[in-house]
Amino acid sequence: MITETGRVVGVAGDRVWVQTIRTSACESCSARHGCGQRALAGVSDGRANQVLVANSLGAKVGDEVTVAIDESALLGASLLVYAVPLVSMVAGAVLGHQLSTGHAASEAVAMMGAAVGLAMGFLAARQGQSRKAGTWEPTLVEVRQGVVASLE
């Protein structure tokens, strides 16, 4: 499980908005000095991210919570979003090139094949995402009662 600590900043029905700053994972990771995520966090000055999570533990605004996502879910989502469109784009380019062998505009046909393949890859990724929608969501694993400052 990959975990991140955050604070509940809003409630939307049976879900809560959790605001996190990606720092805790970087400190415990052995690749922290060569990692792109750490570099991005440094550029963004640790800017906060917000994620909508099912409120299975009864968290309220101001509570500090721990949000988790399974490593396999993260890997599966990454492969779907990045690999499927890339592979289909390359396949489209190769197919377009093979179909236009000997023609003067073979590069143009290969580029059109790549564009069609990329579009089909995005559509396939979207279909795959809609089938797995509930399995790739982060979940609340711990709630620590927070103090909400009053505006009086």
Side-chain angles (χ1 to χ4, degrees), residues 20-22 40-41 43-49:
T20 64
I21 299 175
R22 294 181 195 254
L40 287 174
V43 169
S44 67
D45 295 326
R47 225 182 344 219
N49 298 312

PDB file of all heavy atoms in Angstrom, residues 20-22 40-41 43-49:
ATOM      1  N   THR A  20      -3.488  16.898   0.291  1.00  0.00           N
ATOM      2  CA  THR A  20      -2.206  16.309   0.654  1.00  0.00           C
ATOM      3  C   THR A  20      -1.069  17.116   0.047  1.00  0.00           C
ATOM      4  O   THR A  20      -1.247  17.806  -0.950  1.00  0.00           O
ATOM      5  CB  THR A  20      -2.072  14.854   0.157  1.00  0.00           C
ATOM      6  OG1 THR A  20      -2.099  14.852  -1.268  1.00  0.00           O
ATOM      7  CG2 THR A  20      -3.192  13.984   0.689  1.00  0.00           C
ATOM      8  N   ILE A  21       0.102  16.991   0.662  1.00  0.00           N
ATOM      9  CA  ILE A  21       1.335  17.522   0.089  1.00  0.00           C
ATOM     10  C   ILE A  21       2.290  16.345   0.018  1.00  0.00           C
ATOM     11  O   ILE A  21       2.592  15.719   1.026  1.00  0.00           O
ATOM     12  CB  ILE A  21       1.917  18.661   0.934  1.00  0.00           C
ATOM     13  CG1 ILE A  21       0.922  19.814   1.009  1.00  0.00           C
ATOM     14  CG2 ILE A  21       3.245  19.128   0.353  1.00  0.00           C
ATOM     15  CD1 ILE A  21       1.338  20.942   1.902  1.00  0.00           C
ATOM     16  N   ARG A  22       2.758  16.033  -1.156  1.00  0.00           N
ATOM     17  CA  ARG A  22       3.563  14.832  -1.356  1.00  0.00           C
ATOM     18  C   ARG A  22       4.968  15.018  -0.808  1.00  0.00           C
ATOM     19  O   ARG A  22       5.853  15.485  -1.505  1.00  0.00           O
ATOM     20  CB  ARG A  22       3.661  14.501  -2.832  1.00  0.00           C
ATOM     21  CG  ARG A  22       2.359  14.121  -3.424  1.00  0.00           C
ATOM     22  CD  ARG A  22       2.555  13.794  -4.879  1.00  0.00           C
ATOM     23  NE  ARG A  22       1.305  13.769  -5.556  1.00  0.00           N
ATOM     24  CZ  ARG A  22       0.707  12.671  -5.950  1.00  0.00           C
ATOM     25  NH1 ARG A  22       1.266  11.526  -5.731  1.00  0.00           N
ATOM     26  NH2 ARG A  22      -0.439  12.725  -6.559  1.00  0.00           N
ATOM     27  N   LEU A  40       9.636  17.098  -9.167  1.00  0.00           N
ATOM     28  CA  LEU A  40       8.397  17.835  -9.416  1.00  0.00           C
ATOM     29  C   LEU A  40       7.865  18.482  -8.147  1.00  0.00           C
ATOM     30  O   LEU A  40       7.370  19.608  -8.161  1.00  0.00           O
ATOM     31  CB  LEU A  40       7.330  16.910 -10.006  1.00  0.00           C
ATOM     32  CG  LEU A  40       7.535  16.503 -11.451  1.00  0.00           C
ATOM     33  CD1 LEU A  40       6.508  15.471 -11.863  1.00  0.00           C
ATOM     34  CD2 LEU A  40       7.477  17.703 -12.359  1.00  0.00           C
ATOM     35  N   ALA A  41       7.961  17.759  -7.023  1.00  0.00           N
ATOM     36  CA  ALA A  41       7.504  18.326  -5.752  1.00  0.00           C
ATOM     37  C   ALA A  41       8.349  19.536  -5.377  1.00  0.00           C
ATOM     38  O   ALA A  41       7.854  20.512  -4.830  1.00  0.00           O
ATOM     39  CB  ALA A  41       7.562  17.274  -4.649  1.00  0.00           C
ATOM     40  N   VAL A  43       9.843  21.600  -7.525  1.00  0.00           N
ATOM     41  CA  VAL A  43       9.486  22.696  -8.426  1.00  0.00           C
ATOM     42  C   VAL A  43       8.166  23.331  -8.010  1.00  0.00           C
ATOM     43  O   VAL A  43       7.992  24.540  -8.067  1.00  0.00           O
ATOM     44  CB  VAL A  43       9.405  22.185  -9.884  1.00  0.00           C
ATOM     45  CG1 VAL A  43       8.795  23.220 -10.797  1.00  0.00           C
ATOM     46  CG2 VAL A  43      10.775  21.787 -10.364  1.00  0.00           C
ATOM     47  N   SER A  44       7.228  22.498  -7.547  1.00  0.00           N
ATOM     48  CA  SER A  44       5.911  23.013  -7.175  1.00  0.00           C
ATOM     49  C   SER A  44       5.874  23.526  -5.742  1.00  0.00           C
ATOM     50  O   SER A  44       4.816  23.868  -5.240  1.00  0.00           O
ATOM     51  CB  SER A  44       4.858  21.924  -7.356  1.00  0.00           C
ATOM     52  OG  SER A  44       5.076  20.890  -6.418  1.00  0.00           O
ATOM     53  N   ASP A  45       7.026  23.561  -5.083  1.00  0.00           N
ATOM     54  CA  ASP A  45       7.122  24.026  -3.697  1.00  0.00           C
ATOM     55  C   ASP A  45       6.206  23.236  -2.775  1.00  0.00           C
ATOM     56  O   ASP A  45       5.623  23.792  -1.857  1.00  0.00           O
ATOM     57  CB  ASP A  45       6.803  25.521  -3.597  1.00  0.00           C
ATOM     58  CG  ASP A  45       7.825  26.365  -4.333  1.00  0.00           C
ATOM     59  OD1 ASP A  45       9.011  25.982  -4.343  1.00  0.00           O
ATOM     60  OD2 ASP A  45       7.444  27.404  -4.901  1.00  0.00           O
ATOM     61  N   GLY A  46       6.064  21.935  -3.012  1.00  0.00           N
ATOM     62  CA  GLY A  46       5.228  21.107  -2.152  1.00  0.00           C
ATOM     63  C   GLY A  46       3.768  21.498  -2.208  1.00  0.00           C
ATOM     64  O   GLY A  46       3.057  21.384  -1.232  1.00  0.00           O
ATOM     65  N   ARG A  47       3.331  21.994  -3.358  1.00  0.00           N
ATOM     66  CA  ARG A  47       1.952  22.433  -3.510  1.00  0.00           C
ATOM     67  C   ARG A  47       0.981  21.315  -3.163  1.00  0.00           C
ATOM     68  O   ARG A  47       1.236  20.155  -3.405  1.00  0.00           O
ATOM     69  CB  ARG A  47       1.717  22.879  -4.951  1.00  0.00           C
ATOM     70  CG  ARG A  47       0.963  24.159  -5.041  1.00  0.00           C
ATOM     71  CD  ARG A  47       0.700  24.578  -6.453  1.00  0.00           C
ATOM     72  NE  ARG A  47       1.509  23.904  -7.436  1.00  0.00           N
ATOM     73  CZ  ARG A  47       2.009  24.488  -8.496  1.00  0.00           C
ATOM     74  NH1 ARG A  47       1.803  25.737  -8.712  1.00  0.00           N
ATOM     75  NH2 ARG A  47       2.722  23.800  -9.363  1.00  0.00           N
ATOM     76  N   ALA A  48      -0.116  21.689  -2.629  1.00  0.00           N
ATOM     77  CA  ALA A  48      -1.110  20.721  -2.173  1.00  0.00           C
ATOM     78  C   ALA A  48      -1.893  20.143  -3.342  1.00  0.00           C
ATOM     79  O   ALA A  48      -2.146  20.815  -4.331  1.00  0.00           O
ATOM     80  CB  ALA A  48      -2.052  21.386  -1.196  1.00  0.00           C
ATOM     81  N   ASN A  49      -2.270  18.885  -3.199  1.00  0.00           N
ATOM     82  CA  ASN A  49      -3.150  18.202  -4.139  1.00  0.00           C
ATOM     83  C   ASN A  49      -4.429  17.860  -3.396  1.00  0.00           C
ATOM     84  O   ASN A  49      -4.405  17.642  -2.194  1.00  0.00           O
ATOM     85  CB  ASN A  49      -2.504  16.905  -4.627  1.00  0.00           C
ATOM     86  CG  ASN A  49      -1.215  17.153  -5.358  1.00  0.00           C
ATOM     87  OD1 ASN A  49      -1.148  17.999  -6.224  1.00  0.00           O
ATOM     88  ND2 ASN A  49      -0.182  16.411  -4.993  1.00  0.00           N
TER      89      ASN A  49
END
